[in-house]
């Protein structure tokens, strides 16, 4: 058992004891029905032995048939016993389900109550439906399996002892050896299953991402590295599969030892047993105990214990375990300077030169030093979508000066949209710090973020209302002259006239994607926020409309960061940031053509 499972067991033991202590009556009735099952197992083998020894071999067929009738009655009574067992089982499993549902609801309500954490409980539906049902079914299966094995085994072993003690000498050693070997495999096989699952997930994720980015891998020159990483993942998955197969073989051997060796041992020892006074009927009864009662119960126990036990432990810990702690805000790190180890970045003549970088990760550092705080600043920012996932951004340092127009380019899936979400404060970095106008954006309330920046995504949002309300949504009390100037600057006058003027009602479904984007861009233009972030926000515009919109936005007072959809956006920018997954470079269009193979490849792609 792993330390995680041991901790879960320690947490769950007290509530489990309290739950069972309140249901002593149900447990006693369940034990009584189980005793009846134990008696049934005892009677079947014992009646078979007596029918042979005292009936057929003794020349009394009537007596033999009478004992066989007793065995038949015992077998038929099994249906009544099973019905009684299931009736009492519901008295344990249903209260468990109800208690888990109440606990899950209480936890979700506590989050939403005043003074609570206030975080959205996204797992509430899963806990109330799937996880609770898994817990109930797994608990019921464990109770049935363990109860059946204990009482059936007790009845069968007592039957063997009643027939002749020598039978236990033959049957018990292989039975105990197989059961012990099975118990030994539980912990390492569970660990091997987790490693195999993790390796398989990592390999599948790598294959999916590589398949979707073949052109990008070639453009970035990272194909060999991705191939080596894939080969390592395949090797890890193969090693985990071999380990799991090895333990599966040991478990199969345990099932064979416990399930078949007692019968073989009994066959081999017939002559020895006959020499010690074991009758033919006793031998036949012993075979009946093994084949009909003991070995099936043992096989069911071995099959169900590993899967149902681990599943129940995990689910109960998810439902009853402690609330996960929110991730702490990253500690401020020393301010990085321009990265060394990269190709030199040209700076404006009036700016002082920067010293060597302290960052050791493969991402680049960019600095535009001004007397005021940078409009955007990333300090060793790393972002990974998952514990085992490769970083999308790795220790990235970036500075954007107030009033600067920066374009961001790179292959699909390289992290351009992730960068804009980090700067906008809608995504928290795994490590590092993101500042806008000198303020940390991670964890800042939405109202404060809205005063710092505006993010325009690919799919623009237009709501049902007037044209003027849509355009001035981010601006309080705009004057008509400002609205008219913005409409004229973006070439939106024909659309406004077609809709019936600024006071006309907008029906979003009747606008084309390009028209919705223009409305959203004018809205961002009128916002007082000092930073505009465009995440391919001109993708539905034709080149002329895109040029006009970007010219208007660049002329606005403030800073503009554009995730480029066309090469022309990079050409128009003051500086372009190229992300390629290994290193990042910045510079003008001409500079990057001379020193960035990826930028040249992207340029050819755009031009074609």
């Amino acid at each position: 058992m792993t330390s995680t499972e041991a901790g879960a067991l320690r947490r769950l033991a007290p509530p489990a004891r309290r739950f069972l202590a309140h249901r002593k009556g149900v447990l006693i009735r369940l034990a009584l029905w189980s005793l009846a099952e134990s008696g049934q197992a005892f009677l079947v083998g014992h009646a078979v032995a007596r029918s042979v020894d005292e009936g057929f071999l003794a020349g009394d067929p009537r007596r033999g048939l009478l004992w066989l009738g007793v065995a038949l009655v015992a077998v038929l009574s099994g249906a009544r016993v099973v019905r009684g067992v299931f009736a009492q089982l519901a008295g344990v499993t249903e209260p468990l389900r109800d208690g888990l549902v109440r606990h899950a609801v209480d936890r979700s309500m506590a989050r939403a109550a005043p003074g609570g954490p206030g975080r959205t409980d996204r797992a509430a539906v899963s806990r109330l439906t799937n996880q609770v049902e898994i817990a109930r079914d797994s608990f019921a299966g464990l109770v049935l399996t363990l109860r059946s094995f204990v009482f059936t085994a007790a009845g069968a072993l007592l039957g063997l002892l009643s027939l002749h003690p020598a039978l236990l000498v033959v049957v018990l050693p292989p039975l105990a050896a197989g059961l012990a070997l099975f118990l030994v495999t539980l912990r390492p096989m569970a660990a091997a299953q987790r490693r195999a699952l993790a390796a398989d997930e990592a390999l599948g994720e790598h294959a999916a991402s590589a398949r979707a980015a073949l052109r990008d891998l070639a453009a970035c020159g990272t194909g060999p590295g991705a191939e080596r990483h894939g080969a390592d993942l395949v090797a890890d998955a193969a090693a985990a599969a071999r380990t799991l197969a090895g333990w599966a073989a040991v478990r199969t051997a345990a099932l064979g030892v416990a399930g078949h060796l007692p019968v073989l041992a009994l066959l081999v020892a017939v002559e020895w047993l006959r020499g010690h006074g074991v009758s033919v009927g006793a031998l036949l009864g012993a075979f009946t105990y093994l084949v009909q009662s003991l070995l099936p119960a043992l096989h069911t126990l071995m099959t169900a214990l590993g899967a149902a036990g681990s599943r129940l432990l995990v689910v109960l810990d998810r439902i009853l375990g402690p609330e996960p702690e929110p991730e702490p805000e990253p500690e401020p790190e020393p301010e990085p300077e321009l990265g060394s180890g990269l190709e030199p970045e040209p700076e404006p003549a009036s700016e002082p030169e920067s010293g060597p970088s302290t960052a050791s990760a493969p991402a680049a550092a960019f600095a535009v030093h001004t007397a005021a705080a940078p409009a955007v600043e990333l300090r060793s920012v790393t972002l990974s979508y998952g514990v085992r996932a490769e970083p999308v951004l790795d220790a990235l340092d970036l500075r954007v000066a107030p009033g600067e127009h920066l374009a961001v380019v790179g292959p699909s899936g390289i992290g351009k949209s992730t960068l804009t979400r980090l700067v906008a404060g809608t995504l928290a970095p795994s490590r590092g710090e993101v500042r806008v106008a000198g303020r940390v954006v991670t964890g800042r309330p939405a109202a404060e973020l809205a005063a710092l920046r505006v993010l325009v995504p690919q799919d623009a949002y237009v709501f049902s209302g007037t044209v003027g309300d849509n355009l001035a949504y981010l601006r309080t009390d705009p004057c008509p002259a400002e609205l008219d100037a913005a409409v004229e600057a973006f070439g939106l006058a024909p659309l406004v006239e077609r809709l019936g003027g600024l006071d006309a009602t907008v029906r979003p479904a009747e606008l084309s994607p390009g028209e919705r984007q223009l409305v959203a861009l004018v809205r961002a233009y009128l916002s007082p926020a000092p930073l505009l972030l465009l995440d391919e926000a001109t993708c539905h515009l034709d080149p002329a409309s895109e040029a006009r919109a970007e010219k208007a936005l660049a002329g606005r007072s403030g800073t503009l960061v554009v995730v480029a959809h066309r090469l022309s956006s990079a050409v128009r920018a003051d500086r372009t940031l190229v992300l390629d997954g290994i290193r990042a470079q910045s510079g003008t269009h001409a500079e990057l053509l001379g020193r960035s193979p990826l930028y040249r490849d992207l340029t050819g792609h755009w031009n074609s």
Side-chain angles (χ1 to χ4, degrees), residues 15-30:
R17 285 194 295 267
R18 290 194 298 270
F19 174 79
L20 295 176
H22 285 84
R23 284 154 187 87
K24 292 180 180 178
V26 175
L27 294 177
I28 291 173
R29 290 191 294 273
L30 184 61

Side-chain angles (χ1 to χ4, degrees), residues 38 69 80 99 138 143 151 165 180-181 200 206 212 235 238 246 259 266 283 285 343 357 425 498 547 549 552 573 587:
S38 180
R80 181 71 180 93
S138 299
V143 171
F151 286 94
L181 185 59
D200 184 66
H206 173 76
L266 202 58
L283 286 173
E343 300 176 24
S357 171
R498 177 167 62 86

